[in-house]
């Protein structure tokens, strides 16, 4: 544990002036932030973190923070306290070493929080931070403490604001700690709006057979919300299909539940078929995975009979339960509906047209991507948010 600066300074130098003690006491109020960082480090044990844990934005933020707040640099405490003259004992090597270590661990924990939206830490060929499956609840206390400490920092009791210097690095450092929205899947963390604020638009997208849980990315979600009509949204899917299927591949590769492994493997094979140009094979396989999930596992997952799951009128039922379920499940009500012949031309991707009425109109790249998206979204939902594969 980091020793209190005031206790250490008194032991070495005697009692400092009251104004200095006030500054030290305020610095001590930041200690819980470092304590959380140490706790997080203890959770990870002796794992050696690779350099790619921090994405470029977080590397830049941590670097800026350490430059501004470093106690080992030539300016000492001036990075935090501006041009105030500070007593010499604030540069004591023991104190500098202790707080510098805390800052290092705190910066590391900032990067680790971004793991929640990650790819694969085990495979260094995959860019981005790692998705180790940490629950959001693990990081929530850190977010709460950081919020509290930043509020405290802004209100240094009895000190002029000019003493604090430039604290813009704090906002940069804590950008990666936005861990709210536990009611939403991780792909919504970067979306500026909430589904509640645009519920009509969100529901319209879902009822076009486009899932919004776990995939696609936040950027694609915002493009879909901004698109004026269904045809524009299909263009968004087409223009971003490579990134979408890569996201699907990463998601299913991180689902470790034994009973879900086969379905994840089948989705990866559908993705490989699409990449190899075998659109029809990819769409058929992904549709079979989706159909199996809906017909064989939805009752265990959702505690509702198949007729309820596939009924469009069930929107309100699932909406009351959670957005996480609704964003993954509701597209199924459209995809599983309708009976088709080869003379029919349904709008969008349909399971029954894919299985029973093979046409070039139904088998195409956009519908294939939608089949893969829905299979991935529903499988991830069932694994992470339901007991279906426990």
């Amino acid at each position: 544990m980091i020793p209190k600066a005031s206790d250490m300074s008194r032991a070495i130098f005697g009692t400092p002036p009251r104004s200095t003690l006030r500054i030290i006491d305020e610095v001590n109020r930041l200690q819980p932030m470092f304590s959380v960082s140490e706790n997080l480090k203890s959770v990870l044990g002796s794992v050696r973190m690779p350099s790619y844990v921090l994405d470029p934005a977080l590397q830049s933020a941590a670097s800026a923070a350490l430059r501004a707040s470093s106690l080992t640099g030539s300016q000492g405490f001036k990075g935090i306290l501006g041009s105030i003259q500070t007593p010499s004992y604030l540069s004591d090597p023991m104190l500098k070493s202790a707080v510098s270590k805390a800052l290092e661990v705190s910066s590391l924990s900032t990067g680790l929080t971004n793991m929640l939206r990650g790819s694969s830490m085990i495979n260094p060929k995959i860019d981005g931070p790692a998705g180790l499956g940490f629950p959001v609840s693990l990081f929530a206390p850190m977010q709460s403490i950081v919020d509290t400490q930043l509020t405290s920092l802004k209100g240094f009791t009895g000190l002029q604001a000019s003493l604090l210097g430039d604290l813009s690095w704090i906002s940069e450092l804590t950008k990666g700690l936005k861990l709210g929205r536990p009611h939403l899947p991780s792909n919504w963390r970067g979306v500026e709006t909430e589904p509640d604020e645009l519920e009509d638009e969100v529901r319209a997208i879902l009822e076009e057979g486009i899932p919004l849980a776990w995939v696609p990315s936040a950027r694609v979600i915002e493009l879909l919300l901004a698109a004026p009509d269904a045809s524009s949204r299909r263009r968004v899917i087409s223009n971003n299909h490579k990134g979408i299927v890569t996201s699907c591949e990463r998601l299913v590769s991180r689902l470790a539940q034994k009973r879900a492994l086969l379905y994840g493997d089948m989705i990866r094979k559908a993705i490989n078929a699409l990449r190899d140009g075998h659109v029809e094979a990819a769409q058929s396989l992904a549709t079979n995975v989706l159909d199996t999930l809906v017909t064989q596992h939805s009752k265990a997952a959702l505690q509702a009979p198949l007729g309820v799951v596939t009924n469009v009128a069930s929107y309100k039922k699932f909406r009351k339960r959670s957005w996480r379920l609704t964003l993954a499940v509701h597209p199924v009500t459209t995809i599983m509906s309708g009976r088709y012949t080869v003379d029919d031309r349904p709008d969008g991707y349909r399971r029954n047209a894919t299985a029973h009425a093979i046409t070039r109109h139904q088998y195409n790249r956009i519908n294939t991507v939608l089949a893969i998206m829905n299979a991935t979204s529903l499988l991830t939902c069932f694994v992470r948010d339901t007991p279906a594969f426990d």
Side-chain angles (χ1 to χ4, degrees), residues 305-384:
L306 181 61
V308 172
V309 176
T310 58
N311 189 340
V312 70
S314 298
Y315 173 82
K316 292 183 179 179
K317 176 183 177 68
F318 288 108
R319 174 65 191 85
K320 288 180 180 178
R321 291 176 62 174
S322 78
W323 268 119
R324 292 167 70 100
L325 289 179
T326 305
L327 295 170
V329 174
H330 194 60
V332 168
T333 63
T334 296
I335 293 168
M336 301 293 288
S337 66
R339 296 180 179 275
Y340 302 96
T341 70
V342 293
D343 296 322
D344 294 321
R345 295 172 64 89
D347 294 329
Y349 165 60
R350 299 290 184 274
R351 176 265 180 196
N352 290 335
T354 298
H356 303 301
I358 297 176
T359 63
R360 294 191 182 278
H361 176 78
Q362 179 61 202
Y363 278 86
N364 57 66
R365 188 179 68 188
I366 296 176
N367 285 353
T368 300
V369 174
L370 289 173
I372 293 170
M373 287 175 68
N374 276 280
T376 300
S377 179
L378 198 63
L379 177 61
T380 306
C381 172
F382 281 7
V383 168
R384 296 190 177 183

Side-chain angles (χ1 to χ4, degrees), residues 22-86:
R22 193 183 308 148
I23 295 174
I24 294 175
D25 287 340
E26 292 295 343
V27 172
N28 283 333
R29 293 176 68 180
L30 294 177
Q31 183 169 321
M33 185 190 304
F34 303 144
S35 298
V36 170
S37 301
E38 290 288 0
N39 291 338
L40 188 62
K41 187 177 180 181
S42 69
V43 171
L44 295 173
S46 59
V47 176
R48 184 177 179 181
M49 304 308 298
S51 60
Y52 57 85
V53 165
L54 291 174
D55 62 22
L58 282 172
Q59 284 181 327
S60 175
S63 176
L66 290 173
R67 283 199 305 272
S69 60
S70 174
L71 305 185
T72 59
S74 60
Q75 293 186 348
F77 262 93
K78 288 182 181 179
I80 297 178
L81 301 178
S83 59
I84 185 173
Q85 290 186 352
T86 55

Side-chain angles (χ1 to χ4, degrees), residues 220 235-247 274-275 365-366 369 373:
V220 175
R235 281 196 297 273
V236 169
I237 299 297
S238 178
N239 293 340
N240 295 276
H241 76 279
K242 290 183 179 180
I244 290 172
V245 297
T246 297
S247 296
L274 174 62
R275 288 171 175 164
R365 188 179 68 188
I366 296 176
V369 174
M373 287 175 68

Side-chain angles (χ1 to χ4, degrees), residues 279-298:
V279 172
E280 297 82 3
Q283 184 170 330
S284 295
L285 181 54
T287 299
N288 278 327
V289 174
L290 177 64
D291 186 62
T292 301
L293 291 172
V294 173
T295 59
Q296 304 299 316
H297 298 286
S298 59

Side-chain angles (χ1 to χ4, degrees), residues 20-306:
T20 303
L21 283 175
R22 193 183 308 148
I23 295 174
I24 294 175
D25 287 340
E26 292 295 343
V27 172
N28 283 333
R29 293 176 68 180
L30 294 177
Q31 183 169 321
M33 185 190 304
F34 303 144
S35 298
V36 170
S37 301
E38 290 288 0
N39 291 338
L40 188 62
K41 187 177 180 181
S42 69
V43 171
L44 295 173
S46 59
V47 176
R48 184 177 179 181
M49 304 308 298
S51 60
Y52 57 85
V53 165
L54 291 174
D55 62 22
L58 282 172
Q59 284 181 327
S60 175
S63 176
L66 290 173
R67 283 199 305 272
S69 60
S70 174
L71 305 185
T72 59
S74 60
Q75 293 186 348
F77 262 93
K78 288 182 181 179
I80 297 178
L81 301 178
S83 59
I84 185 173
Q85 290 186 352
T86 55
S88 59
Y89 57 78
L90 286 181
S91 298
D92 175 77
M94 283 182 63
L95 178 60
K96 284 166 56 174
S97 174
V99 182
S100 178
K101 180 181 178 182
L103 286 170
E104 282 182 52
V105 177
S106 183
S107 299
L108 174 63
S109 67
T110 302
L112 293 177
T113 60
N114 205 30
M115 286 180 182
L116 294 175
R117 54 181 161 99
S119 0
S120 177
M121 181 175 167
I122 298 174
N123 185 356
K125 294 182 180 180
I126 299 178
D127 294 330
L132 297 183
F134 291 128
V136 173
S137 58
L138 175 65
F139 297 89
M142 181 190 298
Q143 178 65 52
S144 175
I145 289 175
V146 169
D147 289 342
T148 301
Q149 300 304 330
L150 291 183
T151 301
S152 168
L153 191 61
K154 291 175 183 176
F156 261 66
T157 307
L159 294 179
Q160 296 180 2
S162 60
L163 296 181
L164 301 179
D166 180 13
L167 297 178
S168 60
W169 59 272
I170 293 177
S171 62
E172 289 297 316
L173 180 63
T174 57
K175 279 182 179 177
L177 291 175
K178 186 178 181 182
L179 297 170
R181 299 180 163 186
H183 60 294
L184 294 174
S186 59
N187 60 321
W188 277 81
R189 288 198 189 106
V191 181
E192 292 299 322
T193 189
E194 289 270 342
D196 287 322
E197 298 169 8
L198 294 171
E199 184 165 1
D200 290 343
E201 290 84 349
V202 169
R203 182 173 180 177
I205 293 171
L206 298 177
E207 292 184 355
E208 289 168 11
I210 303 175
L212 295 175
W214 307 107
V215 289
S217 67
R219 184 182 68 86
V220 175
I221 289 176
E222 291 184 332
L223 290 173
L224 291 168
L225 290 170
D229 51 42
S231 61
S232 299
R233 285 186 278 273
R234 284 179 65 84
R235 281 196 297 273
V236 169
I237 299 297
S238 178
N239 293 340
N240 295 276
H241 76 279
K242 290 183 179 180
I244 290 172
V245 297
T246 297
S247 296
C248 292
E249 184 177 44
R250 290 175 178 173
L251 268 172
V252 299
S253 295
R254 295 200 302 271
L255 299 177
Q257 280 77 350
K258 185 175 180 180
R259 295 182 63 204
L261 292 179
L262 173 62
Y263 301 132
D265 186 49
M266 291 295 146
I267 291 172
R268 286 194 298 271
K269 288 181 178 180
I271 291 170
N272 289 333
L274 174 62
R275 288 171 175 164
D276 289 341
H278 304 297
V279 172
E280 297 82 3
Q283 184 170 330
S284 295
L285 181 54
T287 299
N288 278 327
V289 174
L290 177 64
D291 186 62
T292 301
L293 291 172
V294 173
T295 59
Q296 304 299 316
H297 298 286
S298 59
K299 185 174 181 179
L302 304 171
Q303 288 77 54
L306 181 61

